[in-house]
Amino acid sequence: GSLIEFHRTRKKLVTVTATLPGGKFGALQIDSENIVREFTEKPRGDHRWVNGGFFVLSPKALDYIENDSTYWEHEPLEQLCRDGNVAAFRHYGFWQPMDTLHDRTLLEDLWRSGKAPWKVW
């Protein structure tokens, strides 16, 4: 189902998209003799779900925002979590941040190549 359908069925004030980011480097498994036993190129992070940046909010969630200078991911989201009002929609598909120039270049290259996984038209 979709993120919005998931949000509606959970009856929470907020639903966040959770994703498992890929690692940026090849991972080495090294034994006690300093021998590399396994190499995995860009593994799926450290197996911790992270905020994928997409939210669905009930209008009541806005009551947690004090004013225009309130940082959403600090006080409001932290309090909503403490109140048990945040559901996590686990997204297993493509996800890539655009936090750095490298990320931007990667995404632009995917778009130009015609292989952008998010292009559905």
Side-chain angles (χ1 to χ4, degrees):
S2 74
L3 172 61
I4 293 173
E5 290 168 357
F6 179 90
H7 175 74
R8 288 180 177 148
T9 63
R10 292 300 181 263
K11 308 277 191 236
K12 299 294 181 189
L13 297 183
V14 175
T15 299
V16 60
T17 301
T19 187
L20 288 168
K24 291 189 180 267
F25 306 101
L28 304 174
Q29 184 174 353
I30 304 170
D31 70 14
S32 61
E33 301 297 318
N34 293 320
I35 304 298
V36 175
R37 296 297 175 186
E38 185 179 339
F39 175 81
T40 307
E41 180 63 13
K42 297 186 171 109
R44 297 281 296 178
D46 63 0
H47 303 289
R48 294 188 65 185
W49 291 90
V50 300
N51 171 7
F54 295 94
F55 293 86
V56 178
L57 305 179
S58 161
K60 292 178 183 176
L62 300 177
D63 294 342
Y64 286 75
I65 299 173
E66 188 172 327
N67 56 46
D68 288 346
S69 65
T70 302
Y71 184 62
W72 167 248
E73 290 169 331
H74 284 167
E75 295 84 13
L77 195 54
E78 290 169 2
Q79 186 62 51
L80 283 156
C81 287
R82 284 191 294 270
D83 292 348
N85 273 314
V86 180
F89 177 80
R90 294 178 193 241
H91 174 70
Y92 292 93
F94 175 81
W95 182 84
Q96 171 65 41
M98 193 165 77
D99 298 329
T100 66
L101 179 58
H102 177 269
D103 295 337
R104 176 181 162 191
T105 302
L106 173 74
L107 291 164
E108 288 177 344
D109 289 348
L110 280 170
W111 182 260
R112 278 193 294 274
S113 74
K115 297 178 183 173
W118 64 90
K119 186 176 180 183
V120 294
W121 60 94

